Amino acid sequence: MIFYFSGTGNSRWVALHLAKKLGEEAVDITEIKYPADLSKEKLVGFVFPIYAWAPAGPMVRFAEKLPECKAFSFAVCTCGDQAGKAMKEFDKIYHIDSAYSIAMPSNYIVGADLEPEAEMAKKAEEAADRIQKIAREVFAGKKVYDVAEGPVAAFKTAVISKGFANFATSTKPFYADDRCIGCGLCARQCPREVITIKDSKPVWKGKCYQCMRCINACPQQAIQYGKITKNRKRYNAENYFK
C-alpha cells in the first residue's frame, strides 16, 4: 500500500509509478475517511511534497492517526531541490525503514516564477530514473536514507518551517479576478476545505496548506495571490509527466 498526498500532481505521479513497479495500490489520503487497516500489508509507503523544508501538513495529520504495523515502510518526498530534515521529522511521526527525496519542478509560484522549461524537463527525466532506483531498493527491502537535505538543514526545518506555518499560510491574499467563471473546481479540490463559493466567486477563509493546487489548477488562471502572481506562469504536471 502506498499512501500519497499531492498538491499539484508531482507526488501523485511518483506514487502511481512506484505503485506500478512494486505491484502495490496507490491511495490518495484525501479520499480516506477512516484509519487504514495495515495488518495484512507487507509494504507501506508514503509519498508527499515538502513545504518549507517540512512534510506536507495533510500527510503529517494522516500519519499521526495511522496504526503502526510490521510491514517494511518507506517514504519518498518531492521537493524543488532540498528537503531539510523533513524526513527525519516524519520518521518521528511514523517509523520508516527507508527515505528518499526526488527533485521535481518547483511550482510554489507565490515564492517565485516557474523554472525554465529546459530545467523542468530535465528534472522530470531524472525523476523517472530515480524512481527505478527507489523501486529496486524498496523491493529488495534495503534500509536506505537517500535524501538531499541541503545546507543548514536542521535550522530550516526547525525554525523556518515553523515560521512558515505560523505566518505564511494565511489565505487573505488569495482572490479570483474577472476571468473566474465560478466553476467551483478550487473549492471542490481544496484539501483543507477553506474555499467556498459565494455569488459565483471563490472565497478563502482561515489558513491553508499552501499546496498551490487552487492557483495552479484553475482552468481560467483566474486565481491570484495579491499582486505577486499576476504575471507568473501556472504549473501543470501533465506537461512534464505522462
Side-chain angles (χ1 to χ4, degrees), residues 1-4 29 32 34-39 41 43-46 58-69 73-74 90 93-96:
M1 182 79 72
I2 297 178
F3 299 107
Y4 73 89
I29 63 170
I32 299 176
Y34 50 86
D37 179 9
L38 305 180
S39 60
E41 299 295 329
L43 183 68
V44 175
F46 304 89
M59 185 57 80
V60 169
R61 288 163 177 75
F62 174 78
E64 287 174 339
K65 299 177 182 179
L66 201 62
E68 293 281 352
C69 66
S73 58
F74 71 98
F90 186 77
I93 299 165
Y94 193 96
H95 172 69
I96 48 176

Side-chain angles (χ1 to χ4, degrees), residues 107-114 167-168 170 172-175 177 179 210 212 215 221 223-234:
N107 49 57
Y108 186 61
I109 62 173
V110 166
D113 206 345
L114 297 183
F167 304 109
S170 171
K172 288 183 179 179
F174 283 104
Y175 70 96
D177 62 29
R179 289 173 290 184
Q210 291 282 300
M212 297 292 108
I215 196 168
Q221 296 189 7
I223 296 175
Q224 306 293 347
Y225 188 89
K227 297 180 179 180
I228 298 173
T229 57
K230 285 186 177 181
N231 296 315
R232 289 181 178 172
K233 299 176 182 177
R234 299 318 194 239

Side-chain angles (χ1 to χ4, degrees), residues 50 53 77-84 101 103 147-151 156:
I50 296 298
W53 300 285
C77 67
T78 58
C79 54
D81 290 297
Q82 303 163 0
S101 65
V147 178
E149 294 186 345
K156 288 176 178 176

Side-chain angles (χ1 to χ4, degrees), residues 123 208-209 220 225-227:
K123 280 188 173 182
C208 71
Y209 295 123
Q220 301 299 115
Y225 188 89
K227 297 180 179 180

Side-chain angles (χ1 to χ4, degrees), residues 9-11 13-14 47-50 76-84 87 99-107 115 118-131 134 146-150 235 240-241:
N10 286 346
S11 293
W13 179 81
V14 170
V47 181
F48 52 85
I50 296 298
V76 180
C77 67
T78 58
C79 54
D81 290 297
Q82 303 163 0
M87 300 306 263
Y100 301 86
S101 65
I102 299 181
M104 301 288 272
S106 179
N107 49 57
E115 299 161 309
E119 187 172 340
M120 289 196 285
K122 181 181 179 182
K123 280 188 173 182
E125 183 178 344
E126 291 175 346
D129 292 337
R130 189 150 172 75
I131 285 177
I134 293 171
D146 185 3
V147 178
E149 294 186 345
Y235 180 77
Y240 308 96
F241 301 104

